[in-house]
Amino acid sequence: MSAIVGYLDAKSLESNHKLTIHKMLSVQKHRGPDGEYLASDNKNFSFGQNLLSINGSPLDSPIFKSGGCYVNANGRIYNFQELRAQLELEGIKFTTKNDNEVLLPLYRKYGLDFLNKLNGDFSMALIDEDKKKLFLIRDRFGVKPLFFHTNGHAIYFSSEVKGILQVPGISPKLSSEAILHQLMQTMIAGSSAFKDIYAVKPGHFLEIGYANGRLEIQEKKYWDLDFPTQEERSQHKKDSSDYIHDVREKLANAVDLRLKGDQEVCSYLSGGIDSCSILGLISSFSQKPIPSFTIGFDHESYDETSIATEMAKMVGSQQMVVNLAAKELYGHNYVDTVWHAERTFYNTLGVAKHQMSGVVTSQGYRVALTGEGSDELFGGYPSFKRDLLLYSPESEESVALRKQMDSSNKLFTGAILSEDLLSHDAFNEVLGFTPSWIQPWMKTLELARPLLNKDIQEELVEYDPIASIAQSFDSNKINGRHVLDKAQYTWSKTMLECQILNWGGDRVDMANGLESRPPFLDKELVAMALNIPPAYRIKGNVEKWVLKEAMQHIIPETLYKREKFAFMAPPAHTNKAKTEQRNLLFNQYLSEEKILKAGIFDLDKMNAFIKTVQQEQDPVLQVRQDALVNHILGLQILSDLYIK
């Protein structure tokens, strides 16, 4: 784990690369406090890394060279021991314990096909001087971040945007399109909040040629979620017990892989099946109790501490509950979380996770296993169930549940869903329907767009963010698939990377130098899970049915029988203290001076909207308004922190 940075200049114009690299690293020292490293024998390029040492001594350089090739990598290769053993049989010698040392031998043997052999969470820069090419590569789901900026003859890359903003001549500016996307919650893969700064897409790499004094940049995909077509599913049927066995076996293997390393491991523990399953499996592998960390909230409707504590006691885990109230979720902690995430968030859960990662590292732990990715694989979100009931083939069971859905919202407790069924032509054309997960943010867009100032509105007058999202998907991975597959695919290509793995994952964990490892995104587990029939992912009214059955004897009975509930922090309206703390942020970042300085919102319309928010009494509308308010505050804070 680390921060990686670097640049490639086809014209060799960079005169003080060491100072630039140092500045890029210094602003990301939270990602790697164990040493700063620089590598370059060539005037065209330079690599740098801040190291968070997990495997190997901090004295070992994390930037490896072999012949004319260099690799600078952030993340973890979980199957590196297996790969290393195979290479050693072929006479390859290794000098460190660093898992990234296997990367160049694999590249030299297999070329870029070596990526298909890696089971891990990573971003990396690999340069091949003989071929005059730089490769910027990101893992399958985008667990690890990687951003870049190019001016035509040079390209700069960094684990976080703030590193690129240290490069002389780069002036930070928020992207108008990104402003709109953040207000409606849904970013597009490959984008950032900043103009002319982009992310390498998950499962992709950039191939950058630098011969003849100019850059030639190509984006290439090496992996994507690939659900079987319905025709393919009909040809490969297995009994439900086989899938239950496969889930149990693959998840256990994924957890076991992530326990390896020189550091002691702990576990995040909420009251959900995902983290409880992880802790249960860790406990079965470990000879001593594994510590667990739980977020506690001061509102019973949002607090899952009781189930988490039951799980911890069941396996003998020493549990620490991190109780968070208004003063921890707002104020400078809120601002710090925006600075680290470099994007907005709809709920203060991101702030809560930032606070918890700080507690974990203060207790001496640098590695935590987490539950991200389970809902994406096994159909865990209520929006998926809603689409399954609305658009899947008729059955007696689905008809009965659909009637219940039409008359009550109980099927979707704890979720932000649209009361009305909304539709958009672009999604209908690509998917055949408009998925439920995007619909509440379509409603938010209707509220948010008029709040923008006149100049941004004019700039975006012909821009349709919903259509842009729909058109970003690969139709080859959608056509012929089941409704549930389509819903899971489109969510995973947007919300997973830009939300859950960002302000819910890497960015708030690495803010405190904590390496989080999500076993559910394991390469082998994912490959198996894609083949699980929709009827076993959501069975009747039970989300993640196959996972629940696989983990039945590992998790508490209370949790096994419990309905899925969306884990989020209590919104600001839930008590007076939170409302007061939120209003202090209003006073600080939504003052007339700050609104005019940022130039994002129309002053009069924003003042009227905030007044409406402060007077609203309907709890359903308050939840929706809280999401938009958090995005508005986040944009104002981003502007204040980054735009000079």
Side-chain angles (χ1 to χ4, degrees):
M1 279 308 153
S2 58
I4 61 172
V5 304
Y7 80 91
L8 169 70
D9 192 330
K11 291 185 176 180
S12 308
L13 296 179
E14 179 64 59
S15 60
N16 195 0
H17 61 81
K18 288 185 179 180
L19 179 59
T20 299
I21 293 295
H22 173 70
K23 288 181 177 179
M24 295 173 76
L25 289 173
S26 293
V27 76
Q28 301 176 81
K29 196 164 186 178
H30 50 274
R31 296 188 68 91
D34 294 328
E36 179 178 303
Y37 296 84
L38 180 71
S40 173
D41 292 337
N42 187 302
K43 60 184 178 180
N44 286 105
F45 70 89
S46 187
F47 288 171
Q49 184 169 151
N50 280 333
L51 178 64
L52 174 66
S53 179
I54 304 296
N55 292 326
S57 164
L59 298 177
D60 297 329
S61 174
I63 304 174
F64 294 97
K65 178 183 179 183
S66 176
C69 297
Y70 293 78
V71 67
N72 187 19
N74 165 39
R76 189 66 48 210
I77 308 301
Y78 300 116
N79 63 335
F80 85 96
Q81 291 179 331
E82 174 190 346
L83 296 169
R84 177 171 170 152
Q86 293 172 0
L87 292 166
E88 286 178 331
L89 289 175
E90 299 173 13
I92 304 295
K93 302 295 184 183
F94 295 91
T95 60
T96 75
K97 295 181 180 179
N98 193 314
D99 51 309
N100 292 333
E101 195 176 1
V102 303
L103 297 175
L104 285 182
L106 289 171
Y107 169 72
R108 296 178 73 85
K109 181 177 180 180
Y110 298 106
L112 288 169
D113 286 343
F114 88 98
L115 295 172
N116 296 316
K117 300 188 177 297
L118 304 181
N119 188 351
D121 310 319
F122 53 82
S123 60
M124 72 177 81
L126 190 156
I127 200 156
D128 188 329
E129 290 188 283
D130 294 336
K131 295 182 178 179
K132 296 292 183 185
K133 287 187 178 180
L134 166 68
F135 302 97
L136 298 181
I137 307 165
R138 199 163 176 211
D139 66 61
R140 293 171 176 79
F141 287 97
V143 176
K144 293 297 141 192
L146 186 60
F147 296 91
F148 68 94
H149 166 82
T150 182
N151 60 14
H153 66 82
I155 187 167
Y156 297 85
F157 67 86
S158 175
S159 292
E160 298 184 6
V161 170
K162 56 182 66 71
I164 293 174
L165 296 180
Q166 303 307 305
V167 176
I170 295 181
S171 300
K173 181 180 180 181
L174 295 180
S175 159
S176 296
E177 290 82 3
I179 286 172
L180 197 57
H181 278 283
Q182 288 182 94
L183 287 172
M184 58 163 290
Q185 175 68 9
T186 313
M187 300 281 281
I188 298 177
S191 65
S192 82
F194 296 84
K195 184 177 177 61
D196 297 328
I197 297 178
Y198 306 95
V200 177
K201 294 178 184 176
H204 286 68
F205 63 85
L206 297 185
E207 180 178 311
I208 305 147
Y210 60 98
N212 304 318
R214 57 190 176 89
L215 298 182
E216 294 183 358
I217 302 175
Q218 299 181 66
E219 179 184 77
K220 297 184 178 181
K221 183 194 295 187
Y222 71 89
W223 184 87
D224 200 354
L225 279 170
D226 193 5
F227 289 97
T229 64
Q230 296 203 68
E231 181 180 351
E232 290 168 339
R233 285 195 189 282
S234 66
Q235 298 171 2
H236 299 89
K237 292 185 177 181
K238 295 196 298 185
D239 188 75
S240 62
S241 60
D242 295 324
Y243 290 109
I244 292 169
H245 172 270
D246 290 346
V247 169
R248 187 183 300 121
E249 178 183 60
K250 295 294 186 183
L251 182 56
N253 290 341
V255 169
D256 188 33
L257 267 180
R258 284 154 182 79
L259 294 177
K260 303 184 187 303
D262 296 338
Q263 295 284 335
E264 291 192 10
V265 174
C266 68
S267 179
Y268 280 1
L269 179 64
S270 70
I273 185 175
D274 311 327
S275 61
C276 287
S277 298
I278 297 300
L279 180 62
L281 289 169
I282 292 175
S283 301
S284 69
F285 288 119
S286 177
Q287 295 181 348
K288 61 180 180 179
I290 295 292
S292 55
F293 293 83
T294 299
I295 296 173
F297 293 123
D298 59 353
H299 193 293
E300 62 179 7
S301 297
Y302 295 87
D303 185 61
E304 297 186 334
T305 302
S306 60
I307 296 178
T309 299
E310 184 179 352
M311 180 71 213
K313 289 180 178 178
M314 180 176 167
V315 298
S317 171
Q318 182 178 355
Q319 181 194 31
M320 176 176 286
V321 179
V322 183
N323 290 304
L324 301 173
K327 65 178 182 179
E328 290 86 21
L329 295 176
Y330 291 91
H332 67 87
N333 291 335
Y334 190 107
V335 176
D336 286 348
T337 303
V338 174
W339 185 81
H340 282 288
E342 298 172 344
R343 68 148 293 172
T344 66
F345 40 79
Y346 82 95
N347 180 258
T348 54
L349 178 60
V351 187
K353 295 197 73 175
H354 180 203
Q355 294 304 292
M356 184 165 73
S357 69
V359 172
V360 172
T361 53
S362 73
Q363 297 300 305
Y365 296 97
R366 286 191 168 189
V367 178
L369 268 63
T370 69
E372 284 87 10
S374 173
D375 290 312
E376 284 73 18
L377 286 183
F378 298 107
Y381 293 114
S383 62
F384 297 161
K385 181 166 63 176
R386 193 184 205 188
D387 290 339
L388 185 66
L389 299 179
L390 285 171
Y391 307 117
S392 62
E394 296 290 332
S395 68
E396 292 184 10
E397 188 176 51
S398 66
V399 170
L401 287 168
R402 195 170 302 154
K403 289 179 179 178
Q404 183 182 349
M405 179 191 73
D406 291 340
S407 61
S408 169
N409 198 38
K410 290 182 179 179
L411 276 175
F412 310 111
T413 305
I416 296 180
L417 292 173
S418 172
E419 298 95 334
D420 308 316
L421 291 179
L422 303 180
S423 180
H424 193 284
D425 289 344
F427 265 102
N428 293 343
E429 182 178 347
V430 174
L431 268 70
F433 65 100
T434 301
S436 294
W437 66 260
I438 191 69
Q439 292 183 33
W441 308 118
M442 291 167 62
K443 294 179 76 72
T444 301
L445 179 63
E446 295 174 3
L447 291 173
R449 194 161 197 155
L451 299 176
L452 295 171
N453 77 18
K454 183 179 67 173
D455 291 341
I456 294 179
Q457 288 205 45
E458 289 178 356
E459 183 181 351
L460 299 176
V461 67
E462 296 183 358
Y463 182 70
D464 183 346
I466 307 297
S468 295
I469 294 166
Q471 292 160 6
S472 71
F473 305 128
D474 185 345
S475 60
N476 292 322
K477 306 301 179 184
I478 292 173
N479 295 338
R481 271 64 172 190
H482 190 275
V483 164
L484 184 57
D485 299 338
K486 294 178 180 181
Q488 290 180 217
Y489 178 84
T490 53
W491 167 281
S492 298
K493 303 304 289 186
T494 50
M495 296 296 203
L496 177 60
E497 178 220 3
C498 297
Q499 173 188 213
I500 293 167
L501 298 177
N502 179 295
W503 59 260
D506 172 271
R507 307 305 285 280
V508 291
D509 292 328
M510 289 298 285
N512 291 297
L514 179 70
E515 176 184 319
S516 52
R517 300 177 179 177
F520 281 103
L521 297 181
D522 179 84
K523 174 187 175 183
E524 302 300 329
L525 174 60
V526 170
M528 179 277 301
L530 294 177
N531 290 297
I532 297 174
Y536 297 150
R537 282 177 262 154
I538 299 179
K539 190 171 185 179
N541 193 30
V542 181
E543 302 101 333
K544 298 194 285 194
W545 177 83
V546 67
L547 177 62
K548 277 192 172 184
E549 295 303 307
M551 297 291 108
Q552 180 178 359
H553 302 299
I554 293 177
I555 61 176
E557 184 179 6
T558 307
L559 181 55
Y560 174 73
K561 294 180 177 180
R562 181 195 185 211
E563 183 183 356
K564 162 77 176 176
F565 187 87
F567 183 49
M568 59 191 294
H573 69 272
T574 54
N575 68 34
K576 183 179 179 181
K578 290 187 180 65
T579 302
E580 290 175 347
Q581 288 293 317
R582 182 198 63 186
N583 288 344
L584 288 176
L585 287 174
F586 284 173
N587 295 339
Q588 185 175 0
Y589 291 101
L590 289 172
S591 65
E592 178 177 345
E593 177 188 359
K594 288 293 178 71
I595 289 176
L596 293 175
K597 180 181 178 182
I600 298 172
F601 299 108
D602 179 275
L603 177 62
D604 293 336
K605 291 179 180 178
M606 180 55 67
N607 286 338
F609 174 72
I610 295 302
K611 185 176 181 180
T612 299
V613 168
Q614 293 173 326
Q615 295 175 346
E616 185 60 64
Q617 297 297 315
D618 184 327
V620 174
L621 290 178
Q622 285 177 319
V623 171
R624 302 201 189 289
Q625 288 176 345
D626 187 73
L628 179 53
V629 161
N630 281 315
H631 288 307
I632 289 169
L633 279 171
L635 286 168
Q636 286 291 118
I637 293 169
L638 278 176
S639 178
D640 193 70
L641 294 176
Y642 284 104
I643 311 302
K644 308 301 181 185

